[in-house]
Amino acid sequence: MVDLSKIVPLSPIQRRDFIKGALLAGLAGCTPHDPFTNEAKKENVQPSGEMVKLLSTTGEIIEVDKAYLKPTEEIPSISNMAERMGIEGKKFVMVIDLSRCRNLKKCQEACNHAHFVSDFQNWIKVYPMQDAETTAPFWQPTTCMHCDDPPCVKVCPVDATFKRQDGIVGIDADRCIGCRFCMAACPYSVRVFNWDKPIIPQAVKDLPYSIETSCPPKIGTVSKCDFCPDMARKGELPHCVTACPNGVFFFGDIYEDTVTNGSETVRFSELIRDRSGYRLMEELGTKPSVYYLPPVDRLFPFKNEQNS
Amino acid sequence: MSSTKITSDLLPQKFGKTGRIWTAFLILLCLNGLYCYYKQVTLGLGITGMRDYASWGIYISNFVFFVAISLVGSLITAIFRLTGVEWRTPLTRISEIIAVSAILFASIIIIVDMGRPERFTHLFLYGRLQSPIMWDVIVITTYLTISILFLYFPLLPDIPILIKNSKPGSRVQKFYKFIGSFWKGTAAQFKISENAVKIISVMIIPVALAIHTVTSWLFATTFRPGWDSTNFGAYFVSGAFLVGAGGVVVAMYVFRRAYKLEAYITDKHFNNMSKVVVMLALLYLYFNINEYLVPAFKMKKAEEHHLHSLFTGHFSGLFWSAIILGMIVPVVVLLFPKGRKPFPAFLMGILVVIGAWFKRFLIVTPTMLSPFLPMYDVPESYHHYIPTWEEWSITIGSLAGTLLIITIFTRLFPIIPIHETIEEMEHSKPEKT
Ligand code: SF4
Ligand code: SF4
């Protein structure tokens, strides 16, 4: 499989800005200056007189007649196979610092917006938690744990939910048969189902489904947090990480042993060791890739600011 | 009793007025179900009451119910045959047709539950053996095939009788000829058929146990409180035996009344089947105690919400009625000889079957609504599961569908094997006198 992302440097997110029938130069490279005009002349296209500016492959601005541009079908930047394989040599982890969370739900907002999550559904949930009556309450954001021994993957009959080499558990909505077995199996209740037709802009609806953006959502299939691998490919952080004003979320690569929340970058192993990081429901043996830092020395008092 | 009398007694009869009304009623229910399914396919599963937490609902309960009641085929035909229970002959075909139609609708209802039914073929294109769903697909197809053979082989000796007694040249007769005119009734054919039935009756038992165990594993392989149980396979098998036996008692009564079969399905059959029901109900009770008492005694945190909802909470009404009306009351009533008369046994059979249906609901829904992490940050409707009328219509349509298959089958074939009955009556005569 050819990794098209290396040839056409278009990320799926940028692709979303293209409306169907996007003007894409398919013949770049015929002449360095104006591949469009020459090729169009060969095909006997009549110029319309309306000129548009384009950036050529060599970085020059060129002017081309609008009639010479041919709308092409959307080309997915990465093949389905490459998306299933994942990014080589990476193993993504997330660290969630409970001492910083004040339930602002900016993470949730950004996530829902980026992934066109249906109304009333969330990939990130912020739970008010308390272990026992006498212990301190805290806010606990949860995403998909991208388990290393994921029960959802085990039960999926058609390989629609799968584990990638970079540790991400992805969903192929073109494959999913909607049996919802994975929802029954996930102990963290992070999966949501598209019960009704998703309400999304036509331009998004027309995109080919991408595992890395989980877009467009499809009726009758399951979706959940995907760790934003499309952002990782661009070298950027997941939407929740950048959206959180308190830097609750750290994201990184366990092989590099670094995680960052955008402003601070720290050694993952040191952070987990020094702050006694832990994972949720360790006893189930799912081996999550999301670590929590206990809510000690809290930056904010526990109160529900969101709903008040 | 002469063989001509037996034949004329047992030959399938044309529908009377009640028969026609009954069939029309079933067809109506099926059509209503189909209409709602059409609606579901076009609008999505959003028209059901299921949501992200209760993501399985009465479709899955119904599926488990169908799988459970289908066990009756192997119970009566195979286990009774192998253990030499002689009074089973009039019950074999009844139980086998219940099994076939139930398992057929089990496979249909599971497709109804899918969010993307048009991708059903993905199971074959991309199927992965590690998923218990694939195990279920395999074992259900096997069981369906074996059950159809089990219905078909013992039917063969009756087909010449049917051909002889149907209007020459009629469509029905052509149909009989199509499915069985190769059957000449020679000794060699009888031998082959008998051997085949013997082999199948041995084969069907492990497959039947497997289908229930695998269905229980659909639940038990997840971590959810209430399903995370090693008891589940045995619990499902015993429950399936119970509902199957209850179903046969009900069917026996209905057929006896509708086709005036008092001479063939006797009080003795009700008496014996009732005893079987008592034994199975006690067995199922035993597994229920295992299933609930042990976790309730420990009351682990994750189990707490689930068990409370069953014992004292939202589902307690249903839970205690399923236990008391579906198990304890039948046991008590059927312990008395008077309770084992046809009519009371019939009523108890109905209780067992309805109790079993609600029991399946109780296995699925309360667990789904007791997740490990609390239900939070979701709309109010996600906290409950109330099936919509469309869901009920589809479910009732599927139940009506099984009854419709059974009804049409009895219109075409003798519900009590004619040939076998004649044989038995002739054989037993000299012994008795
Ligand atoms: S958290 Fe749930 S959905 Fe995510 S990988 Fe683990 S089991 Fe699967
Ligand atoms: S709902 Fe889709 S992703 Fe989940 S187990 Fe079924 S096929 Fe796999």
Side-chain angles (χ1 to χ4, degrees):
Chain A
M1 272 298 153
V2 188
D3 185 353
L4 284 170
S5 69
K6 293 191 181 115
I7 305 162
V8 188
L10 273 181
S11 81
I13 287 290
Q14 284 168 318
R15 272 194 283 131
R16 198 181 291 160
D17 302 334
F18 280 83
I19 298 164
K20 185 155 192 168
L23 311 170
L24 200 69
L27 300 161
C30 289
T31 75
H33 293 294
D34 185 356
F36 304 96
T37 316
N38 293 335
E39 281 299 311
K41 270 178 190 152
K42 271 190 224 156
E43 288 179 22
N44 283 328
V45 179
Q46 290 305 311
S48 68
E50 204 184 320
M51 305 300 272
V52 283
K53 284 200 171 78
L54 289 176
L55 187 69
S56 83
T57 41
T58 48
E60 295 164 68
I61 305 268
I62 50 171
E63 277 211 333
V64 180
D65 192 291
K66 207 173 174 189
Y68 294 161
L69 298 173
K70 243 201 295 186
T72 54
E73 276 298 310
E74 187 82 37
I75 309 165
S77 59
I78 310 164
S79 73
N80 177 286
M81 191 58 91
E83 287 188 325
R84 278 179 168 268
M85 301 274 285
I87 303 170
E88 222 180 301
K90 297 264 180 207
K91 173 85 176 68
F92 295 112
V93 274
M94 184 176 268
V95 181
I96 297 177
D97 187 348
L98 296 175
S99 66
R100 302 184 184 202
C101 181
R102 62 193 293 185
N103 190 31
L104 289 180
K105 292 192 178 156
K106 296 281 184 221
C107 51
Q108 196 179 61
E109 224 169 83
C111 171
N112 289 355
H113 179 74
H115 298 104
F116 300 95
V117 179
S118 300
D119 288 352
F120 311 118
Q121 288 182 324
N122 300 299
W123 286 0
I124 302 180
K125 293 195 184 78
V126 189
Y127 292 95
M129 295 298 258
Q130 189 169 20
D131 289 330
E133 262 167 49
T134 43
T135 56
F138 57 94
W139 293 107
Q140 175 185 287
T142 38
T143 69
C144 171
M145 301 289 145
H146 295 275
C147 310
D148 283 348
D149 228 332
C152 57
V153 171
K154 272 193 222 165
V155 299
C156 180
V158 294
D159 207 13
T161 286
F162 52 88
K163 179 94 183 154
R164 313 196 322 167
Q165 59 177 338
D166 53 15
I168 289 176
V169 171
I171 298 177
D172 186 345
D174 281 336
R175 176 77 66 86
C176 172
I177 60 171
C179 65
R180 312 190 293 294
F181 199 1
C182 54
M183 300 180 74
C186 171
Y188 303 95
S189 306
V190 302
R191 296 187 155 237
V192 301
F193 191 73
N194 293 309
W195 300 99
D196 301 294
K197 275 202 185 84
I199 301 160
I200 39 177
Q202 190 60 41
V204 180
K205 222 179 272 176
D206 291 339
L207 290 172
Y209 179 78
S210 155
I211 288 162
E212 301 219 326
T213 56
S214 300
C215 280
K218 299 202 167 192
I219 185 173
T221 64
V222 167
S223 67
K224 63 156 186 74
C225 155
D226 56 9
F227 261 11
C228 301
D230 55 311
M231 301 300 277
R233 267 195 207 273
K234 284 190 288 187
E236 285 171 38
L237 288 169
H239 300 284
C240 52
V241 179
T242 35
C244 179
N246 302 325
V248 168
F249 298 87
F250 290 78
F251 189 76
D253 179 0
I254 210 163
Y255 297 148
E256 278 174 23
D257 199 18
T258 43
V259 286
T260 174
N261 64 3
S263 51
E264 305 156 61
T265 304
V266 277
R267 282 255 161 266
F268 169 74
S269 52
E270 277 168 27
L271 184 66
I272 295 300
R273 194 182 55 222
D274 297 346
R275 301 273 315 273
S276 313
Y278 66 96
R279 301 186 290 188
L280 290 188
M281 294 180 224
E282 197 74 74
E283 71 278 11
L284 299 181
T286 54
K287 306 196 180 71
S289 300
V290 175
Y291 293 76
Y292 285 87
L293 302 179
V296 283
D297 296 331
R298 234 149 339 132
L299 294 188
F300 314 101
F302 177 89
K303 62 175 196 243
N304 196 347
E305 294 173 58
Q306 249 278 316
N307 303 335
S308 55
Chain B
M1 227 188 287
S2 74
S3 60
T4 34
K5 166 120 179 49
I6 296 179
T7 315
S8 71
D9 274 355
L10 297 183
L11 272 182
Q13 298 157 17
K14 278 219 167 70
F15 289 141
K17 199 170 161 221
T18 2
R20 277 199 299 265
I21 294 175
W22 168 246
T23 317
F25 175 65
L26 290 180
I27 292 177
L28 254 159
L29 288 181
C30 287
L31 288 178
N32 182 41
L34 263 179
Y35 163 70
C36 289
Y37 183 58
Y38 166 76
K39 224 174 134 186
Q40 178 182 309
V41 167
T42 45
L43 297 177
L45 281 172
I47 67 157
T48 68
M50 294 183 274
R51 289 298 175 259
D52 287 347
Y53 283 97
S55 55
W56 281 344
I58 54 173
Y59 295 156
I60 293 292
S61 315
N62 204 28
F63 163 73
V64 180
F65 174 79
F66 277 138
V67 172
I69 202 163
S70 77
L71 187 62
V72 64
S74 59
L75 167 73
I76 303 237
T77 19
I79 298 182
F80 281 11
R81 174 188 285 272
L82 292 178
T83 48
V85 174
E86 270 171 15
W87 46 269
R88 82 195 142 81
T89 315
L91 310 183
T92 46
R93 198 162 290 157
I94 297 179
S95 59
E96 209 48 56
I97 184 65
I98 295 179
V100 168
S101 53
I103 203 71
L104 208 64
F105 270 89
S107 13
I108 292 175
I109 203 77
I110 205 75
I111 297 177
V112 166
D113 185 66
M114 281 167 45
R116 285 288 192 149
E118 79 278 13
R119 292 183 185 165
F120 179 69
T121 44
H122 283 197
L123 283 172
F124 305 99
L125 291 175
Y126 308 110
R128 286 196 310 169
L129 262 188
Q130 44 147 23
S131 166
I133 290 194
M134 289 312 289
W135 311 342
D136 227 6
V137 168
I138 293 167
V139 73
I140 284 183
T141 353
T142 318
Y143 189 66
L144 180 62
T145 320
I146 299 184
S147 294
I148 290 177
L149 290 181
F150 223 176
L151 187 63
Y152 182 57
F153 285 148
L155 198 61
L156 284 170
D158 284 354
I159 288 180
I161 305 174
L162 290 169
I163 295 178
K164 214 169 71 202
N165 287 291
S166 53
K167 216 173 26 189
S170 64
R171 254 191 291 166
V172 194
Q173 196 187 40
K174 276 190 197 136
F175 172 67
Y176 291 144
K177 282 192 173 153
F178 170 71
I179 62 166
S181 63
F182 63 86
W183 178 266
K184 298 283 177 284
T186 61
Q189 278 188 329
F190 265 110
K191 189 133 184 55
I192 296 175
S193 155
E194 200 147 293
N195 279 340
V197 170
K198 254 188 223 148
I199 293 171
I200 302 176
S201 26
V202 176
M203 254 169 70
I204 202 167
I205 295 171
V207 178
L209 296 187
I211 174 173
H212 297 89
T213 312
V214 167
T215 307
S216 83
W217 284 345
L218 283 187
F219 304 99
T221 48
T222 68
F223 291 113
R224 296 301 182 103
W227 293 347
D228 193 359
S229 154
T230 46
N231 186 30
F232 245 45
Y235 173 57
F236 267 49
V237 171
S238 66
F241 273 133
L242 175 62
V243 52
V248 164
V249 173
V250 174
M252 269 161 45
Y253 186 82
V254 173
F255 284 127
R256 184 170 121 128
R257 281 290 299 265
Y259 292 97
K260 316 238 169 338
L261 300 174
E262 282 82 359
Y264 303 89
I265 303 175
T266 60
D267 284 13
K268 184 180 143 209
H269 286 105
F270 283 94
N271 189 32
N272 287 346
M273 274 311 289
S274 302
K275 287 182 189 161
V276 172
V277 169
V278 170
M279 186 196 79
L280 294 172
L282 288 174
L283 188 70
Y284 193 43
L285 262 176
Y286 163 76
F287 278 111
N288 269 283
I289 292 170
N290 271 294
E291 192 49 44
Y292 296 111
L293 182 88
V294 174
F297 192 86
K298 290 184 281 196
M299 224 27 136
K300 283 195 232 161
K301 195 175 168 220
E303 306 272 353
E304 201 179 320
H305 181 265
H306 173 242
L307 290 172
H308 277 157
S309 76
L310 288 179
F311 295 160
T312 53
H314 190 61
F315 297 103
S316 55
L318 216 51
F319 177 77
W320 291 114
S321 0
I323 299 271
I324 294 170
L325 295 176
M327 286 169 236
I328 297 175
V329 169
V331 167
V332 173
V333 170
L334 296 177
L335 274 179
F336 296 99
K338 266 204 189 129
R340 297 199 289 269
K341 290 269 168 267
F343 187 64
F346 164 68
L347 288 184
M348 291 307 112
I350 289 187
L351 276 189
V352 165
V353 172
I354 295 179
W357 198 91
F358 283 109
K359 195 77 211 321
R360 302 304 177 277
F361 182 81
L362 289 168
I363 288 173
V364 178
T365 304
T367 288
M368 304 255 26
L369 291 175
S370 305
F372 285 109
L373 292 172
M375 283 186 269
Y376 184 75
D377 206 5
V378 287
E380 181 53 27
S381 66
Y382 282 43
H383 287 258
H384 314 284
Y385 169 60
I386 302 152
T388 57
W389 74 268
E390 285 96 341
E391 249 173 313
W392 282 116
S393 300
I394 294 174
T395 307
I396 290 170
S398 70
L399 292 166
T402 51
L403 295 178
L404 191 63
I405 292 184
I406 298 172
T407 310
I408 292 174
F409 181 84
T410 42
R411 172 72 191 79
L412 289 173
F413 299 101
I415 194 66
I416 293 179
I418 300 180
H419 179 84
E420 229 177 307
T421 312
I422 296 174
E423 284 261 292
E424 257 172 37
M425 297 249 174
E426 275 169 4
H427 273 287
S428 56
K429 241 184 252 160
E431 278 163 36
K432 268 184 191 159
T433 46

